[in-house]
Amino acid sequence: MRRPIVTLPDGFLKFLQVDWDIDWRGQGLGENTGGGSSTVFNRFPRWTGAPSVFLEGAELAQWRGIRAMAQGRLGIYRLPMVDPIGFSGAPGAEQRFADGTSFASGEGFASEPMCFAAQAADRGAEQIRVTGLDAAPRIGQIMSQGLWPFTVTWVLEVAAGVYDLGVQMPLREALTVGDPIRMEAMGLFEAVEGGMGRVRYDTSRAAQVKLNFREVLNR
C-alpha cells in the first residue's frame, strides 16, 4: 500500500520547543566477564524529534484535517526541521523582486534558502563542498540534501563564499555539482504513535500540541 505524503504549509507549525536528534540505533550487549562492554549499531540511523507547537483558531481545524489526511501512522509528513539555533533565516517568508515589485496580484513569492554543491560527492561521504552562500553555515546546523537531513560537524572556508563542511549523517544519496542543498532541512517523517497530535482545547481556542516524529527510511 502506497503511503500518502502530507506537505505542511510554510510557517504553519509555530514551534515552541525542538529536540531534533540522530538516533544511531545502538543496542548494548551488556558487560562481559572481563568488565568490557559491547554495542551493536544498526546500519540505518535516523532522525527523530518531539517538537511542541502552538496552534490557535482556524489552525486547530486545519491541523485536524492534516492529521486526517495522514491517517495516523500510515501517512508521511513532509516537514521542515525548524531549528532557531542552527539556522536563523526565514524560509517561506514572502519575498519581492530586487526593485521592490511583486507579482501582479500584489503577492511576493516563497523563499527557500539554498546553497549548491561545488563538488561531486559519493554516497556515504562525510565531507562536502558548497557554494552560493552569503554567510558560513554553523557547526551544528541541520541542512538537507533533497529530503535527507544531515548536521554540520565542522566548517572550513576555502574561497570567498565556498566552504567545506563535515557532515553527519554521511550522505545518503550521491551529490553532483550544482545540486541544491537546503539551509534549513526538510525531511520525511512518520508519527511514532497513531494518536500523535490529538488536539485538546477550551474556550480560548488555542492549544499547545506535542508531536513525536521519526524519519522514514523506506521511500
Side-chain angles (χ1 to χ4, degrees), residues 115-116 118-119 127-137 154-165:
C115 60
F116 301 90
Q119 287 183 346
Q127 176 179 332
I128 62 175
R129 179 167 292 182
V130 298
T131 187
L133 300 117
D134 295 325
W154 54 264
V155 179
L156 175 65
E157 185 173 16
V158 295
V162 181
Y163 298 88
D164 282 345
L165 308 179

Side-chain angles (χ1 to χ4, degrees), residues 109-196:
F109 54 93
S111 171
E112 293 185 350
M114 298 278 187
C115 60
F116 301 90
Q119 287 183 346
D122 294 331
R123 181 179 179 181
E126 296 184 5
Q127 176 179 332
I128 62 175
R129 179 167 292 182
V130 298
T131 187
L133 300 117
D134 295 325
R138 299 173 181 174
I139 295 175
Q141 181 171 339
I142 305 173
M143 301 165 67
S144 65
Q145 169 201 14
L147 294 171
W148 293 108
F150 60 83
T151 192
V152 176
T153 57
W154 54 264
V155 179
L156 175 65
E157 185 173 16
V158 295
V162 181
Y163 298 88
D164 282 345
L165 308 179
V167 299
Q168 287 287 355
M169 311 274 201
L171 290 187
R172 290 179 280 178
E173 288 184 350
L175 195 63
T176 59
V177 174
D179 281 352
I181 298 170
R182 288 183 58 103
M183 299 294 289
E184 180 183 68
M186 182 77 74
L188 295 179
F189 293 85
E190 62 187 359
V192 174
E193 308 94 10
M196 184 204 74

Side-chain angles (χ1 to χ4, degrees), residues 26-41:
Q27 181 177 357
L29 300 181
E31 187 174 293
N32 60 33
T33 55
S37 60
S38 300
T39 303
V40 175
F41 288 91

Side-chain angles (χ1 to χ4, degrees), residues 21-101:
D21 195 18
I22 300 172
D23 177 5
W24 296 105
R25 304 173 77 181
Q27 181 177 357
L29 300 181
E31 187 174 293
N32 60 33
T33 55
S37 60
S38 300
T39 303
V40 175
F41 288 91
N42 190 295
R43 290 191 307 156
F44 302 105
R46 62 188 174 195
W47 285 91
T48 61
S52 295
V53 301
F54 178 76
L55 300 171
E56 59 183 335
E59 294 170 340
L60 293 169
Q62 187 174 2
W63 173 243
R64 182 185 294 150
I66 289 170
R67 288 185 69 242
M69 286 192 291
Q71 302 172 58
R73 295 174 63 182
L74 175 63
I76 296 173
Y77 293 86
R78 185 177 183 272
L79 185 72
M81 297 174 69
V82 173
D83 176 33
I85 64 169
F87 179 72
S88 57
E94 185 182 74
Q95 302 292 321
R96 296 184 180 274
F97 299 107
D99 61 1
T101 61

